[in-house]
């Protein structure tokens, strides 16, 4: 915005020359800061320094000022000619106008436009006309844009123009460097400050914590404590976050004690930080104690405690807290609902998820990116691909998480072609894939047996997308080879990997050996896994099955002896199903359920019906994957069959059944469930220890490979 020059035409030349200019930084006797230094702890340098040398280290693009004083024209008195203003004099009002315009743009959050005007001002040599309010505005613009180059330019101009900083502006400069991630430069600024207040210390400590340097943050906090013996709630929040980052609950408790002594323990922000810290450090009881003692429980506090319970696997307790929060009228936000949806995903709780979906729309978060991505993930994981696609298509904005969730959902349920179609659409819309995207796509190719396409995508990762394949990507390719029976090639891929083979890679080979009954390679893979995961039961069980099915009873007995020697035993299989918002748990041969008689009768009827399609109960010599020999005697009443019978009795005919179990589904149950889905016309989704199985019309999404 140009300011009319007519206002300034009445200035005489001498008046113009006598305008105040800031002395240049390099002028003799000038010092950037005045005042006496004082002693700091932790070995910090304390004496006052010439800031010129230090700022030159910080500013990588320092420039000379280039501002010229107006030249006077000596005109004889008898020549009555009006004084002619030089170029710099005429531009001074324009520079002032530019500064004013920059401040207005920042006030309107038009940071990029403000930076562009600042760069014009800098090029035109108007640095000495920039005042404190303009620099203050430029700090906000650089922080808002995270514009590192702008930070350098603003700071360079401040130094070259001789601007003198008070404590407030020094803190603003420190804030700008910290928020833009320039911690090395920020440390130099902080180290050379002749005067610091609590804001300076807290800002620097916060920057260290945000950059993950929690140890250094604690050292600086101790120095601050020695000097001030005080701390604001914000300081304690920062240090509690640092304790959580280190995972040191004892340190967190000490900070908690200090906060109580300073009478800030009841501060809402401090309490929320404490809940988060105790949750992350594994003490959910302490977290709840802090939450329970809060005089006023905010939405953030509720979200923190719900997330804490969910983090430690207390999903049902987390849901109960959510309903308590809702019932007392606490305000829900998009984070609350997103957390609940993720909990429902873990519990396979479709009824709770539907309520969360309704709450999402009812509270005005129907377009929230995070919550909708969580919904896509939930519906995808539990086979509701139509619902997942509907939510995905109605999203106004999509991120990589929502794309990955949908692609993975199609892949997990055996719809590899649809997964590849979505991947291609994602690339057409110029969304940049990440390593999770490729894991989802390669898994889809593996589950659906799309070998050729899988190898093309695997090779394109590093060639076209510059993403280095990780062990999980190699595990997908090993599984792809194993599905085709190419076990030697799978072993060669493990040995040619550019890193040490991981447990997932050997486990993929072991699964392939089990399916193709190759006990030689299976033994090799199992021995590798024993060394990596000596306490993981399923590795022993898979090898035990290989030996048993190939008639190598002596080797099978050796595995059992190893289990006894290590004190390991196979657990009873457990399966659970949610009906009418209530979890129902079944063990094999379980007769504790109130509907036991009806459930067993239903199982008998189902077995009789599917026997017409050729089903026979497998003999007792076929060991189950992850359960003990006791259960061989109750093959007909395995936990999966009991849960499915219960679900068929207590749900409408149109409703799919969703079942979860902590063990790998056995071959007998897998065959039986395929036929049950056929004769009942129901969709049955089973989440076992290896993957999702989507049974429909007599077939399974795994292609009988799991």
């Amino acid at each position: 915005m140009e300011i009319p020059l007519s206002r300034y035409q009445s200035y005489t030349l001498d008046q113009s020359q006598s305008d105040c200019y800031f002395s240049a930084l390099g002028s003799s006797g000038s010092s950037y800061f005045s005042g006496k230094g004082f002693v700091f702890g932790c070995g910090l340098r304390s004496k006052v320094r010439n800031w010129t040398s230090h700022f030159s280290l910080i500013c990588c693009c320092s420039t000379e000022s280039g501002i010229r004083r107006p030249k006077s024209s000596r005109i004889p008195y008898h020549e009555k000619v009006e004084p002619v203003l030089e170029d710099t004099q005429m531009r001074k009002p324009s520079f002032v106008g530019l500064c004013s315009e920059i401040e207005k743009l920042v006030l309107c959050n038009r940071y990029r436009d403000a930076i562009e005007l600042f760069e014009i001002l800098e090029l035109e040599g108007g640095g000495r006309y920039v005042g404190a309010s303009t620099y203050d505005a430029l700090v906000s613009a650089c922080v808002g844009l995270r514009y590192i180059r702008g930070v350098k330019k603003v700071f360079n101009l401040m130094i070259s123009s001789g601007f003198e900083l008070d404590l407030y502006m020094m803190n603003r400069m420190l804030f700008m460097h910290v928020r833009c991630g320039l911690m090395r430069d920020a440390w130099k600024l902080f180290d050379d400050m002749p005067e610091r207040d609590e804001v300076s210390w807290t800002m620097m400590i916060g920057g260290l914590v945000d950059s993950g340097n929690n140890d250094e943050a604690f050292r600086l906090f101790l120095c601050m404590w020695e000097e001030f013996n005080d701390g604001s709630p914000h300081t304690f929040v920062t240090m509690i976050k640092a304790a959580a980052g280190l995972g040191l609950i004892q340190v967190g408790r000490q900070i908690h004690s200090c906060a109580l002594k300073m009478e800030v323990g009841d501060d809402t922000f401090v309490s929320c930080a404490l809940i988060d810290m105790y949750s992350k450090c594994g003490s959910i009881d302490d977290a709840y104690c802090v939450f329970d003692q809060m005089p006023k429980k905010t939405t953030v506090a509720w979200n923190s405690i719900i997330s804490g319970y969910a983090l430690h696997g207390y999903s049902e307790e987390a849901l109960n807290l959510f309903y308590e929060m809702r019932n007392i009228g606490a305000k829900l936000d998009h984070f609350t609902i997103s957390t609940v949806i993720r909990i429902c995903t873990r519990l396979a709780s479709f009824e709770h998820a539907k309520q969360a979906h309704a709450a999402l729309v009812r509270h005005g978060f129907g377009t929230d990116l995070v919550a909708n991505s969580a919904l896509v993930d939930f519906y995808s994981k539990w086979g509701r691909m139509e619902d997942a696609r509907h939510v995905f298509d109605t999203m106004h904005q999509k991120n990589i998480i929502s794309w990955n969730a949908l692609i993975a959902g199609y892949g997990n349920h055996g719809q590899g072609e649809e997964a590849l179609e979505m991947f291609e659409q994602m690339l057409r819309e110029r969304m940049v894939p990440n390593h999770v995207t490729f894991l989802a796509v390669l898994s889809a190719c593996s589950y659906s047996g799309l070998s050729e396409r899988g190898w093309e995508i695997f090779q394109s990762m590093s060639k076209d997308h510059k993403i280095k394949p990780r062990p999980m990507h190699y595990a997908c390719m090993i599984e792809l080879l194993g599905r085709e029976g190419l076990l030697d090639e799978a072993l060669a891929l493990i040995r040619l990997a550019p890193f040490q083979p991981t447990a997932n890679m050997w486990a993929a080979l072991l699964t392939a050996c089990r399916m193709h009954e190759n006990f030689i390679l299976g033994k090799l893979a199992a021995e590798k896994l024993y060394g990596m995961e000596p306490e993981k039961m399923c590795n022993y069980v898979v090898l035990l099955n290989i030996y048993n099915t190939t008639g190598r009873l002596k080797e099978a007995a050796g595995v059992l002896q190893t289990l006894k020697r290590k004190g390991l035993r196979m657990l009873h299989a457990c399966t659970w199903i949610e009906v009418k918002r209530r979890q129902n748990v079944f063990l094999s041969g379980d007769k504790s359920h109130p509907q036991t008689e009806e459930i067993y009768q239903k199982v008998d009827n189902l077995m009789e019906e599917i026997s017409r399609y050729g089903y026979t109960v497998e003999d007792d010599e076929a060991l189950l994957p992850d359960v003990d020999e006791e259960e061989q005697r109750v093959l007909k009443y395995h936990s999966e069959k009991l849960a499915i019978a219960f679900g068929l009795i207590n749900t409408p005919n149109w409703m799919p059944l969703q079942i979860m179990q902590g063990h790998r589904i056995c071959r007998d149950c897998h065959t039986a469930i395929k036929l049950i889905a056929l004769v009942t016309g129901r969709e049955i989704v089973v989440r076992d220890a290896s993957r999702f199985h989507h049974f429909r019309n007599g077939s399974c999404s795994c292609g009988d490979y799991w």
Side-chain angles (χ1 to χ4, degrees), residues 400-417:
I400 191 65
I401 296 173
S402 47
W403 281 99
N404 289 348
L406 190 64
I407 293 171
Y410 279 124
N412 286 335
H413 295 283
Q415 297 175 264
E417 295 290 350

Side-chain angles (χ1 to χ4, degrees), residues 497-523:
F499 38 73
Q500 195 72 18
T502 63
N504 286 326
M505 295 167 67
W506 287 113
L509 180 62
L510 182 59
T511 299
C513 293
R514 177 176 65 86
M515 296 301 297
H516 296 285
E517 299 182 354
N518 188 324
F519 73 91
I520 297 176
L521 280 182
K523 182 179 179 181

Side-chain angles (χ1 to χ4, degrees), residues 379 383-393 410 415 683 694 696:
Y379 287 129
R384 304 295 184 92
M385 294 310 302
E386 295 82 2
D387 293 330
R389 187 61 182 267
H390 174 73
V391 173
F392 181 83
D393 288 341
Y410 279 124
Q415 297 175 264
E683 291 184 27
H694 196 145
R696 181 189 296 173

Side-chain angles (χ1 to χ4, degrees), residues 168-193:
Y168 171 79
M169 285 306 299
M170 285 189 286
N171 283 337
R172 290 290 285 168
M173 289 296 107
L174 184 63
F175 170 75
M176 179 173 67
H177 284 82
V178 165
R179 292 298 297 271
C180 292
L182 301 174
M183 289 308 300
R184 185 174 299 178
D185 296 346
W187 185 263
K188 290 178 180 178
L189 283 171
F190 179 80
D191 194 19
D192 288 328
M193 288 175 69

